[in-house]
Amino acid sequence: MRSRIWNHIIPLVGDYALREIDASALRTFKAALLTGVEESTAEVIWGHLSSILGSAVDDQRLLRNPMKAKNSVKPPRAIDSKAKAWSREVVDAVRAELQDRYQIAVDLGIGLGLRQGEAFGLAEEDFDFAAGVVHIRRQLRWDIKGRPYFSLPKGRKTREVPLPANLALRARAHFRRFPSTSCTLPWRNPEAPTTALEERQRKPITVELILTSSHGNRIYYRTWNDRSWKRALAAAGLIKPVGEKVRHDGNRVRRVLLYAAPREDMFHVLRHTYASVQLEAGESVVSLSKWLGHSTPKVTLDHYAHFMPGAGQRGIAAMDAWLRDPSRPKVPEKSLMACRAAHLPPNMQVKGMVRQGADMSVKYKETARGGLAVNIIEC
């Protein structure tokens, strides 16, 4: 939220007085916003500005929120796009192209459904191998100036996620090969505290991070995305270079390829894939919502309902049974009678009686040799 305010709201409407933000100013703001960000991001930023103006109304700085008025300005609406999941082949291909020390990041995204910041903020102590769960207690974030800090996961709540046995094996192997590194960062906010309360809230904490750079430092997400993730996507054949950057290191000239990966192929796709695997296996939406850290199961359904195979078929079958004619005999599809009746030889007498609309009852009995005798009695 902080970065979106500083990067988009303040540059576009920061010079306006509150009373000057009217329909015309909002139209200009919306047009400028849509030229720089995607519709989904624009919708979020629009909501942030509405909250700011709503606070101004509460503080009696404005009489009404201009974004709530019924005028010609409509908020940007994101295109209703469905979350994308990778196949196992794609996941394995991308994982294989990452450095060995970073392959565990893919395992955490796929096996636990973590967000990128949650994976980067995970510590060895968060793994409870005895109980078979992983405690998601924090995430690694960066402020507008690129300063890192720890904070609670999205939604400001911790959670526990079941630990698959094979992920536990991979995690133990990673811990042995790449020992965790201590990292001390502020909590919640990297700004210097101005009050005693802020000092307590922002007191730095030390975490033994399991994901670190080759120099033993915490990971900076932008560098990792450009130099590790996108290169792995390219090596796996998912994206192609869009240009190159020339770097001069003394007398040496280095050319670095540049990649532009679509948003749906960034780290978050692992989280979507985790959800798709769970739902396709028939897992409860309530349980999945809890493991993903969603506020309600409705959020989970809104994002991932298309991953549920045969959604609604159980209800249709139940309603079909409800509406079944009570006089209709209930014969199990795999019963002896149903199987043998389906393969009875044609009988001209029976066909004739059926055509004439005669009332009939059919009696079946087993013969001495195991055959099926059919007696048709005309009523």
Side-chain angles (χ1 to χ4, degrees):
M1 178 177 180
R2 177 186 295 268
S3 62
R4 287 168 177 153
I5 291 174
W6 282 97
N7 289 340
H8 302 288
I9 294 179
I10 291 180
L12 295 178
V13 295
D15 292 335
Y16 283 84
L18 286 174
R19 62 179 181 277
E20 295 175 345
I21 301 179
D22 53 12
S24 176
L26 291 177
R27 281 193 291 268
T28 303
F29 171 72
K30 178 181 176 181
L33 195 60
L34 291 175
T35 60
V37 298
E38 298 177 352
E39 288 85 353
S40 58
T41 304
E43 184 179 16
V44 174
I45 296 172
W46 186 274
H48 292 336
L49 178 58
S50 180
S51 297
I52 293 172
L53 296 178
S55 298
V57 173
D58 294 340
D59 293 339
Q60 298 182 352
R61 300 292 185 90
L62 284 175
L63 293 178
R64 61 182 180 86
N65 185 343
M67 303 183 79
K68 298 292 185 181
K70 294 181 179 180
N71 49 36
S72 59
V73 184
K74 302 297 182 183
R77 296 297 184 189
I79 299 175
D80 186 16
S81 59
K82 296 182 178 179
K84 171 185 174 182
W86 277 352
S87 66
R88 175 160 187 180
E89 291 73 21
V90 173
V91 172
D92 290 344
V94 173
R95 184 182 187 277
E97 296 299 337
L98 287 169
Q99 297 179 38
D100 290 351
R101 69 183 308 111
Y102 295 146
Q103 290 181 354
I104 190 66
V106 174
D107 300 332
L108 297 175
I110 287 291
L112 301 175
L114 300 188
R115 303 176 179 92
Q116 188 179 61
E118 294 170 347
F120 290 166
L122 205 60
E124 188 171 345
E125 65 179 8
D126 296 327
F127 285 76
D128 189 340
F129 294 103
V133 297
V134 178
H135 302 277
I136 312 303
R137 300 181 172 114
R138 74 195 72 81
Q139 62 176 323
L140 178 59
R141 300 193 64 183
W142 295 263
D143 70 351
I144 189 64
K145 299 179 181 178
R147 294 175 296 183
Y149 63 99
F150 291 122
S151 70
L152 288 170
K154 187 177 181 179
R156 301 198 175 195
K157 61 180 181 180
T158 61
R159 66 186 190 275
E160 292 181 356
V161 184
L163 174 62
N166 286 317
L167 177 55
L169 293 176
R170 294 189 181 190
R172 289 183 186 274
H174 177 84
F175 299 159
R176 289 192 299 268
R177 189 174 179 187
F178 305 103
S180 302
T181 302
S182 297
C183 180
T184 303
L185 292 175
W187 181 257
R188 291 183 55 183
N189 195 326
E191 294 285 351
T194 57
T195 64
L197 176 60
E198 289 182 353
E199 185 175 2
R200 290 194 300 272
Q201 292 175 337
R202 303 177 187 180
K203 185 177 181 180
I205 65 171
T206 300
V207 177
E208 299 289 330
L209 297 179
I210 66 173
L211 269 169
T212 57
S213 68
S214 56
H215 298 289
N217 300 323
R218 50 168 172 68
I219 293 177
Y220 181 46
Y221 76 102
R222 287 186 177 175
T223 302
W224 191 83
N225 287 339
D226 291 337
R227 298 182 183 178
S228 295
W229 185 258
K230 291 181 181 179
R231 288 182 182 180
L233 295 180
L238 297 180
I239 61 174
K240 295 181 179 180
V242 295
E244 64 177 13
K245 180 179 180 180
V246 179
R247 296 175 55 184
H248 297 274
D249 297 333
N251 295 327
R252 297 178 56 188
V253 177
R254 300 180 59 185
R255 299 182 182 276
V256 181
L257 293 176
L258 300 177
Y259 302 95
R263 185 183 183 90
E264 59 266 23
D265 282 331
M266 297 305 288
F267 188 89
H268 211 73
V269 70
L270 302 178
R271 180 174 166 88
H272 296 330
T273 305
Y274 169 83
S276 73
V277 172
Q278 296 287 341
L279 290 175
E280 288 173 4
E283 184 54 70
S284 162
V285 175
V286 176
S287 297
L288 180 60
S289 177
K290 179 181 178 182
W291 299 339
L292 289 171
H294 286 162
S295 57
T296 65
K298 180 182 181 302
V299 176
T300 308
L301 282 173
D302 290 343
H303 281 80
Y304 302 123
H306 61 288
F307 288 144
M308 302 174 70
Q313 294 303 313
R314 296 176 185 173
I316 293 174
M319 186 53 62
D320 185 56
W322 180 284
L323 298 172
R324 182 185 293 118
D325 187 352
S327 63
R328 178 180 173 185
K330 298 180 181 179
V331 180
E333 292 182 359
K334 296 184 179 180
S335 69
L336 176 64
M337 185 173 71
C339 293
R340 290 184 174 179
H343 296 87
L344 285 177
N347 186 300
M348 298 306 296
Q349 182 182 2
V350 174
K351 288 184 178 179
M353 296 175 68
V354 171
R355 282 196 298 268
Q356 295 173 10
D359 293 327
M360 297 175 293
S361 65
V362 182
K363 292 186 178 181
Y364 298 86
K365 68 178 180 178
E366 198 83 8
T367 65
R369 296 183 179 181
L372 189 66
V374 182
N375 292 329
I376 303 177
I377 304 172
E378 187 173 352
C379 301

